[in-house]
Structures are given as structure tokens and as C-alpha cells.
């Protein structure tokens, strides 16, 4: 008769092991992606938040090659790149923008909102007033020659009030990543920075209509003091007819 020497597992030990397994499941559940909440009552569900994080990962990868091209174009034109360390939009800033878009248009979903985000990767390029118009043309033509598609060309230098600068959007040839370049002079960049907090408050859904009007008037006053570089209001995207100022 063979007598087994294998230890007998008691009921207490089984119960302890079973509890430990269940606790592991609880930890895993706690590690699942969470939603996001921001100021002004803005929020994203866990699923929406996860999609934004995935989008950000793609943008970070694409930024590497985009930055090489932007820096090359800027160097060839004699431009200064302002705030290069902030070329990637912060997660909170992007999530606030996405959440705001979802509130303002209930018919849009997270995928369509993310597809239209143009400034997760962004740059600011600056010249002194006298070099501005030729510099913008040089950078735009260089980016175009690299295969980047112009997707947005918002030239507000000709405005009688409000923001003054040139904001452009591009699509990178390999990654398909959208990115933004703002073209500034020192004066227009200063006005943008001075009005940033006013603009952020203005676009919150919780800001009243009356308050938004007051904030807009304050921004208008700051931009009204910005000189317009010669020919800046006529700057056009690559492939369109351009009218440059006559030599002095």
C-alpha cells in the first residue's frame, strides 16, 4: 500500500488563494483607462479619453520628422522659431479643446473631432517686420517642396479689429499628421501672448455672452496697436496667385 506524501491543501488555503486571485482582478479593473474632467464642466468619457491619448501618441511620433522640415525651412529664410519646446500641445489642452468641440456640436463624435485637430503639433515662426513677407513666402514654398499639403491659410493681417497674424495648417506627407504654423512679427506675438488668457476664458462654454463681448473688446484693443508689415495682407498659400510689395 502506497502512502502519498503530497501535502493536503486545506480549505482555508484554497479560500485565501481564491481571494488573492479576485483581488488581482480588482487591481486590473482599477488600472483601466479613466475619463477626464476639466474646468467649466468639460469632460470626456473613458473611451473618449483613451482615443485622445492614442491620437497624442501618433502626433508625438510624427512630430520628429515634421520638426526637421520646419526647422530647415525656418533656417533657410532667416526666421526665428519661438517656443520650440512647446511644439506639442499638452494632453490637458488638447482634451479641453476636444471636449469643448463635443459640447458645441452634439452631432459630432470623438473621431470626427480628432480628425479635424490641426494644432496638436504646432510651431511659431517670427521675423522682424521688414523681412516678414518674403520670409513667409520662403517657408511656405520650402514646406510645399518637401511634400506637405497646405490645409489652412488664415491671413488676418487685413482685419480692422481682432487677431492679427497668419495661421496656417499643413498635412505631413508620410504620417498624414496635421500641424500648424503661426507666422508672427514681435509685435503680433506679444499681442497674442497678452490676450491668451482672455481668449481661453472667452471660449469656455460656461462664459456668459456679455462677458465674451467684454473679453473680445479687450483683445481688439491690444491687436489694434500691432503694425502691419508691408504686403502681409496679400500673402497667399503655395500654388495661388501672390502679389508681393514693390521694392522700396
Amino acid at each position: 500500500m502506497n502512502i502519498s506524501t503530497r501535502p493536503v491543501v486545506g480549505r482555508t488555503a484554497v479560500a485565501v488563494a481564491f481571494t488573492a486571485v479576485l483581488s488581482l482582478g480588482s487591481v486590473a479593473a482599477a488600472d483601466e483607462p479613466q475619463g477626464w474632467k476639466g474646468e467649466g464642466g468639460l469632460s470626456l468619457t473613458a473611451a473618449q479619453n483613451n482615443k485622445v491619448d492614442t491620437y497624442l501618441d501618433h502626433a508625438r511620433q510624427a512630430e520628429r520628422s515634421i520638426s526637421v522640415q520646419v526647422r530647415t525651412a525656418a533656417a533657410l529664410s532667416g526666421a526665428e522659431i519661438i517656443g520650440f519646446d512647446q511644439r506639442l500641445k499638452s494632453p490637458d489642452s488638447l482634451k479641453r479643446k476636444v471636449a469643448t468641440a463635443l459640447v458645441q456640436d452634439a452631432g459630432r463624435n470623438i473621431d470626427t473631432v480628432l480628425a479635424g485637430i490641426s494644432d496638436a503639433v504646432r510651431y511659431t515662426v517670427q521675423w522682424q517686420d521688414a523681412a516678414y513677407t518674403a520670409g513667409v513666402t520662403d517657408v511656405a514654398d520650402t514646406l510645399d517642396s518637401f511634400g506637405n499639403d497646405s490645409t489652412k491659410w488664415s491671413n488676418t493681417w487685413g482685419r480692422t479689429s481682432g487677431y492679427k497674424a497668419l495661421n496656417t495648417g499643413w498635412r505631413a506627407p508620410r504620417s498624414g499628421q496635421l500641424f500648424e504654423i503661426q507666422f508672427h512679427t514681435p509685435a503680433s506675438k506679444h499681442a497674442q501672448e497678452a490676450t491668451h488668457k482672455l481668449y481661453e476664458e472667452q471660449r469656455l462654454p460656461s462664459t456668459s455672452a456679455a462677458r465674451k463681448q467684454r473679453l473680445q473688446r479687450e483683445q481688439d484693443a491690444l491687436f489694434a496697436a500691432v503694425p502691419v508689415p508691408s504686403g502681409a495682407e496679400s500673402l497667399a498659400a503655395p500654388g495661388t496667385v501672390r502679389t508681393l510689395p514693390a521694392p522700396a
Side-chain angles (χ1 to χ4, degrees), residues 100-111:
T100 299
L102 291 171
V103 169
Q104 291 176 341
D105 187 350
R108 300 176 71 188
N109 59 40
I110 187 71
D111 295 315

Side-chain angles (χ1 to χ4, degrees), residues 156-196:
T156 57
W157 281 111
R159 281 183 177 175
T160 56
S161 64
Y163 181 80
K164 288 181 182 177
L166 172 58
N167 287 6
T168 65
W170 305 82
R171 187 184 302 277
R174 293 184 180 179
S175 63
Q177 176 67 43
L178 295 176
F179 63 99
E180 179 183 275
I181 303 180
Q182 295 184 3
F183 295 106
H184 278 284
T185 65
S188 68
K189 182 59 180 172
H190 173 74
Q192 182 199 43
E193 292 174 346
T195 59
H196 179 70

Side-chain angles (χ1 to χ4, degrees), residues 99-177:
T100 299
L102 291 171
V103 169
Q104 291 176 341
D105 187 350
R108 300 176 71 188
N109 59 40
I110 187 71
D111 295 315
T112 57
V113 171
L114 287 173
I117 296 292
S118 63
D119 63 347
V121 182
R122 72 275 178 88
Y123 307 88
T124 298
V125 183
Q126 177 179 289
W127 299 264
Q128 296 297 321
D129 289 26
Y132 181 85
T133 301
V136 170
T137 302
D138 289 344
V139 167
D141 286 345
T142 301
L143 290 174
D144 181 63
S145 73
F146 288 153
N148 296 283
D149 293 326
S150 175
T151 60
K152 181 182 73 173
W153 193 270
S154 178
N155 186 345
T156 57
W157 281 111
R159 281 183 177 175
T160 56
S161 64
Y163 181 80
K164 288 181 182 177
L166 172 58
N167 287 6
T168 65
W170 305 82
R171 187 184 302 277
R174 293 184 180 179
S175 63
Q177 176 67 43

Side-chain angles (χ1 to χ4, degrees), residues 26-68:
S26 299
V27 171
D31 290 339
E32 290 178 357
Q34 301 298 307
W36 173 88
K37 291 185 178 180
E39 61 180 329
L42 295 172
S43 65
L44 296 172
T45 66
Q48 291 170 336
N49 191 48
N50 187 49
K51 285 195 173 187
V52 176
D53 287 337
T54 299
Y55 176 91
L56 281 168
D57 287 340
H58 178 270
R60 291 188 189 102
Q61 293 295 323
E63 173 272 323
R64 298 173 185 175
S65 60
I66 295 171
S67 287
V68 171

